[in-house]
Amino acid sequence: LKDYDGKKLVSLTKENVDLGETDDEKQKWEELKKNHEDLCKAIKDTLGDKIEKCLVSKRLSDSPCCLVTGEYGWSANMERIMKAQALRDSSMSSYMSSKKTLEINPKNPIIAELKKKCDQDKNDKTLKDLISLLYDTALLQAGFSLNEPSHFASRIHRMVMLGLSIDDTTDGTTDDAVMVESTPSEESKMEDVD
């Protein structure tokens, strides 16, 4: 089904969606886009190859950000189906993952605060943590799976500690070290069961 009642149907999970704007709306959007260029660049630098680009979104009203795929790329559901295929090999993973674009909502208070933090210091550890956390939540909202759930969990724990005003005296390496140490013992337990 490509159209209904003379109107073309499009997927909102793909980029380049035309929402039929007036000239004033286009001009305001261009100003917002220009004001958020530095934040978009900082987000792209922080996330690196995880996203193809970061853009100011026209489609968002409440969420701080969303992930969209290329116009002809695989959706989150198709990517999940292809990862689950029994006869796939490791060479499939290179073309299997879709090119993701992170779209930010300039009217959201979270993005407004991130922009302020970015204007103050682009290399702030908290800023990078928040960007990664927003990316991970956008991944989950879009239906993709997390590549590193343990890093996501540690970021959430740091944010909870911050919210509870608990001093984070460690540098974060102990959590990773404990996780690395616990993984082999869990595997050996599984081998004992077999």
Side-chain angles (χ1 to χ4, degrees), residues 2 8-9 18 36 40 42 106 108 115 128 158 172 181:
K2 301 255 183 203
K8 183 181 174 187
L9 298 177
D18 183 20
H36 288 78
C40 288
N108 187 283
K115 183 180 179 326
K128 292 183 179 196
R158 279 198 300 272
E181 292 172 4

Side-chain angles (χ1 to χ4, degrees), residues 38-48 51 54 102 104 131:
D38 289 340
L39 178 61
C40 288
K41 185 176 181 331
I43 290 172
K44 172 60 179 151
D45 291 344
T46 301
L47 297 176
I51 60 171
C54 178
L102 185 71
I104 59 172
I131 288 170

